[in-house]
Amino acid sequence: PTQSARYHSGSGKMPGSYKVCVVGGAGGIGQPLSMLMASHPDVAELCVYDLTVSMVPAEGVAADLSHLNTKCKVKGYAFEVADKAVEKAGECLTGCHLVLVPAGMPRKPGMDRKDLLKVNADIAKNIVEACAKYCPDAVVALIVNPVNSVVPAMC
């Protein structure tokens, strides 16, 4: 498509100038999602956000993605489990146009949906509050189970 056809009406942003953050970007869903975003021609800046306890460091994912032959600038951000995103994630979230959240804990054997909801709703709430403060105009996509309960709880 032409540049004018690719212009995203209402966003005020030209193609190639979007800032995206993937919260949970070092996880099993977050890594390929981060790679897709880093490869997208409309993404100029990608923030890979995850916890310091992740199996793979967010900074490592960002370093790997920075080797892709794209113009996208990639940076990793790692936070402690006890950190509140609303207090710590300002640099990472400020100016974001899209925040993708494949974060959360997977359901463990014997765990019921109510327990999973409690854990993952707290994670989502932490991120949504920070987005409201640092990137209130961003589109926030929650990919957090149980999605049919977490998403309405954040509205």
Side-chain angles (χ1 to χ4, degrees), residues 49-120:
Y49 171 132
D50 218 313
L51 298 176
T52 56
V53 296
S54 297
M55 296 277 291
V56 177
E59 295 90 341
V61 173
D64 287 347
L65 294 175
S66 70
H67 295 293
L68 292 173
N69 188 19
T70 68
K71 61 170 180 52
C72 185
K73 181 181 120 192
V74 185
K75 185 169 181 186
Y77 295 84
F79 299 96
E80 298 294 328
V81 173
D83 287 345
K84 297 290 180 199
V86 75
E87 298 168 1
K88 302 279 185 166
E91 178 185 340
C92 179
L93 293 172
T94 298
C96 280
H97 301 97
L98 175 62
V99 180
L100 301 170
V101 189
M105 185 177 86
R107 191 169 177 179
K108 295 179 179 174
M111 179 182 249
D112 66 22
R113 287 177 53 83
K114 183 176 65 175
D115 296 330
L116 183 65
L117 174 63
K118 172 67 177 123
V119 171
N120 285 346

Side-chain angles (χ1 to χ4, degrees), residues 37-50:
M37 291 295 99
S39 301
H40 197 285
D42 287 342
V43 178
E45 186 177 352
L46 175 66
C47 301
V48 179
Y49 171 132
D50 218 313

Side-chain angles (χ1 to χ4, degrees), residues 4 6 8 14 19 31 34 44 63 72 81 87 92 103 106 112 118 121 131 137 143 145 150 154:
S4 61
R6 287 181 42 205
H8 301 280
M14 289 300 288
K19 180 177 180 181
Q31 286 184 46
S34 293
C72 185
V81 173
E87 298 168 1
C92 179
D112 66 22
K118 172 67 177 123
C131 289
D137 295 327
I143 311 162
N145 280 320
V150 171
M154 297 304 114

